[in-house]
Amino acid sequence: MTWHQEYERWDQFRHLDDKVKKQLDGLKGDEKALEDHFYKTLEFGTGGIRGEIGPGTNRMNVYTMRKAAKGLADYVSSKGEEAKKRGVVIAYDNRRMSKEFAVEAAETLGANGVKAYVFYELRPTPMLSFAVRHLNTYAGAMITASHNPPEYNGFKAYGEDGCQMVPADADQLIGYVNAVEDELSVETGDQNELLSQGLMQWVLDDVDEAYLQEMKAVIMDQALIDEMGKNLSIVFTPLHGTAQKPMMQAFDMAGFTNIHSVKAQAEPDTEFSTVKSPNPEEHSAFELAIQLGEEVNADLLIATDPDADRIGLAVKNHAGDYQVFNGNQTGGLLLDYLLRKRKEQNRLPENGMVIKTIVTSELGRKIAESFGMNSLDVLTGFKFIGEKIRQYEQTGEHTFLFGYEESYGYLIEPFARDKDAIQPGLLAAEMAAYYKKKGMTLYDALLEMYKTYGYYYEDLISYTFKGKEGSEKINKIMDTFRQNVATGNIDQDVVAVEDYKTGKRKDVLTGAETAIDLPASNVLKMFLSDGSWYCLRPSGTEPKIKFYVGVNGDSHEESTARLAEVKATLIAKAEEV
């Protein structure tokens, strides 16, 4: 159908939801807006779906949610009656319509004979991942748009191991979702009837308690916390999201008592009214935390994103100003501390493995190697880290130690199989106590880390291109780099190219090609003659293309200058396209 036909189909549907109908009526006469709402179907990808809330096939609404849930119901049903009985657990964050979408998904699953467990209060994404394992469900669903702007929401699907579905499973699910021809006619059940039939069940308390018990394994040195936990001053903000209760419970359980919450951001808020972006990657998100930190002279500031799978840290630098660490810096500090404590306690396994993504700093590999541990790169997306954890459990070839990505996502203990902000929040507090006892701040520890392992500096450049035209621009950039970079037409300094779409690494100097043992993905990574690198990756969840840059030098000055040089060159080349 053309977008006009899709619009007419929705506009003429007699039983259209009242709220959706009112929103649709408000678009009448605006051809450009209507085209954007209907020119395509909101794509269900390997990570689920995410988009702006509103009417139409290209928006998040009760009908696109029912379509996703119907596809999940058919996927689970295809695995047999036992899978249907085990069912699906659904959690949701604080976004617009999150609970409504969760109930719509449950009612759709129930109508198809698949049991749905639904959290009766909002909770973080990592707790959904944990709940899949704890309740032994066959799948899970998280209603969230992570750190996207307020007008977004989404649906993420999880497999029975609590990991976001990997490509093989996701492809099956996508097939079932795409097979739903008419999202407007998807059958749903009555909530009260489903509850009485046992096809829907509210959950929370047992999951909360079990998750908190597992969190004890994250603590590396309880004696240290017992000694320093009252003295370490911490400011915490969930940025209006889901982390306030579980993070405070974890601090209390461990023995950190000098905690200061940013009151204006402690309660859930669909509009994220005190921040421009509810994303700890954005330094402006720390504004209120910094104000409170100055008042209480905090040793550590911690911020989590709305669904609490990402975390950011800030500490005072030598000028006395709070400095927000980037994701690679936080990951390097956590990894170094974790391995350092394990070595002290003779708990470093012979086959230990650190897993990071292809766009994450090489610093992590250097740290792992210094402790005699292995490291592995996987594609961007924490599901690929979770997939490796499952593989290692089955084969015994490695012991998982730490997984992380530069975009502020970390996992320490695999009782959850997605990035978990509560775990690194607790470990960061312990790490800060460790260095405070030594008379150091985490900023001092950062400088010491660079001095020890090398000055690995990275940066990220993002271009946002919304709508149909934006998607075409992103494709053009990728196609141009893919066609021309290895010939020298874009960058004569490139010595090797990894194209994860074709699965091949090419040596530009010799022309030799070798296979990359990773799933296909529309990503390009270029390696320069001095060991620097840059990577192009369209976002799977936002209308963005991201350019990652990494360098390594012998000093702060050398790495800073080289990073600026590579960034400037890359930006110029991209803008030519």
Side-chain angles (χ1 to χ4, degrees), residues 18-28 53-55 61:
D18 290 342
K19 181 184 286 188
V20 174
K21 177 66 174 173
K22 184 177 180 181
Q23 292 171 331
L24 193 60
D25 288 344
L27 296 174
K28 285 187 176 180
I53 297 171
N61 49 65

Side-chain angles (χ1 to χ4, degrees), residues 383-533:
K383 57 182 171 285
F384 297 111
I385 294 177
E387 180 182 33
K388 284 297 178 181
I389 295 172
R390 178 173 59 179
Q391 176 185 321
Y392 297 154
E393 286 178 340
Q394 293 171 346
T395 66
E397 61 182 306
H398 291 291
T399 300
F400 171 76
L401 289 174
F402 187 71
Y404 77 116
E405 55 189 9
E406 52 74 41
S407 55
Y408 292 54
Y410 314 94
L411 184 66
I412 299 149
E413 291 291 332
F415 55 82
R417 294 296 165 89
D418 205 346
K419 50 188 179 286
D420 184 346
I422 312 303
Q423 291 192 33
L426 186 58
L427 189 66
E430 181 185 325
M431 177 173 65
Y434 171 82
Y435 285 107
K436 184 168 185 174
K437 184 178 178 180
K438 295 177 68 174
M440 298 170 64
T441 66
L442 284 186
Y443 183 76
D444 295 325
L446 178 72
L447 299 182
E448 187 67 26
M449 179 175 70
Y450 283 137
K451 184 178 179 181
T452 302
Y453 300 111
Y455 291 81
Y456 289 84
Y457 286 6
E458 299 80 26
D459 208 346
L460 169 66
I461 310 152
S462 291
Y463 289 91
T464 299
F465 301 117
K466 290 189 175 183
K468 184 179 179 181
E469 293 180 359
S471 179
E472 292 169 353
K473 279 187 180 181
I474 291 171
N475 289 335
K476 182 182 178 183
I477 292 170
M478 291 300 297
D479 289 345
T480 303
F481 270 81
R482 181 167 276 115
Q483 293 164 9
N484 296 330
V485 70
T487 64
N489 291 343
I490 284 199
D491 195 335
Q492 296 179 351
D493 195 29
V494 171
V495 295
V497 181
E498 291 182 350
D499 189 339
Y500 298 92
K501 189 173 184 179
T502 63
K504 292 182 179 179
R505 176 186 172 98
K506 182 175 182 178
D507 186 313
V508 175
L509 301 178
T510 65
E513 292 186 342
T514 55
I516 301 170
D517 186 22
L518 290 173
S521 183
N522 187 24
V523 181
L524 282 170
K525 189 171 184 180
M526 277 64 74
F527 299 85
L528 309 183
S529 56
D530 68 345
S532 303
W533 58 269

Side-chain angles (χ1 to χ4, degrees), residues 209-226:
E209 184 179 342
Y211 177 77
L212 187 61
Q213 287 299 313
E214 291 284 1
M215 196 63 61
K216 292 179 180 179
V218 176
I219 298 170
M220 300 300 297
D221 191 340
Q222 185 62 59
L224 170 69
I225 299 175
D226 292 342

Side-chain angles (χ1 to χ4, degrees), residues 134-298:
H134 179 67
L135 297 172
N136 191 35
T137 61
Y138 194 79
M142 183 70 196
I143 311 301
T144 180
S146 188
H147 56 280
N148 281 65
E151 61 269 23
Y152 281 77
N153 213 327
F155 175 104
K156 294 197 290 190
Y158 288 74
E160 61 181 326
D161 63 344
C163 177
Q164 282 193 59
M165 287 189 179
V166 295
D169 296 324
D171 287 346
Q172 292 183 46
L173 174 57
I174 291 167
Y176 284 109
V177 173
N178 291 341
V180 179
E181 295 182 355
D182 183 7
E183 68 282 347
L184 298 177
S185 62
V186 172
E187 181 184 0
T188 61
D190 176 78
Q191 182 181 145
N192 291 329
E193 290 182 7
L194 294 174
L195 287 167
S196 65
Q197 295 167 4
L199 283 170
M200 183 174 170
Q201 180 178 330
W202 298 106
V203 297
L204 190 69
D205 295 343
D206 178 56
V207 178
D208 276 359
E209 184 179 342
Y211 177 77
L212 187 61
Q213 287 299 313
E214 291 284 1
M215 196 63 61
K216 292 179 180 179
V218 176
I219 298 170
M220 300 300 297
D221 191 340
Q222 185 62 59
L224 170 69
I225 299 175
D226 292 342
E227 179 184 354
M228 301 293 296
K230 295 178 182 179
N231 299 324
L232 187 77
S233 178
I234 300 172
V235 166
F236 173 67
T237 173
L239 297 179
H240 300 294
T242 59
Q244 182 72 17
K245 186 172 182 177
M247 191 74 257
M248 298 305 277
Q249 287 178 331
F251 284 145
D252 183 64
M253 174 271 296
F256 291 103
T257 57
N258 193 4
I259 312 295
H260 308 271
S261 290
V262 178
K263 292 181 180 179
Q265 298 173 336
E267 293 298 320
D269 176 4
T270 61
E271 306 311 300
F272 308 105
S273 54
T274 67
V275 291
K276 292 180 180 178
S277 171
N279 183 359
E281 293 182 77
E282 302 289 343
H283 293 189
S284 61
F286 277 85
E287 184 177 347
L288 293 186
I290 289 173
Q291 290 179 15
L292 181 57
E294 295 285 2
E295 292 175 17
V296 301
N297 193 28

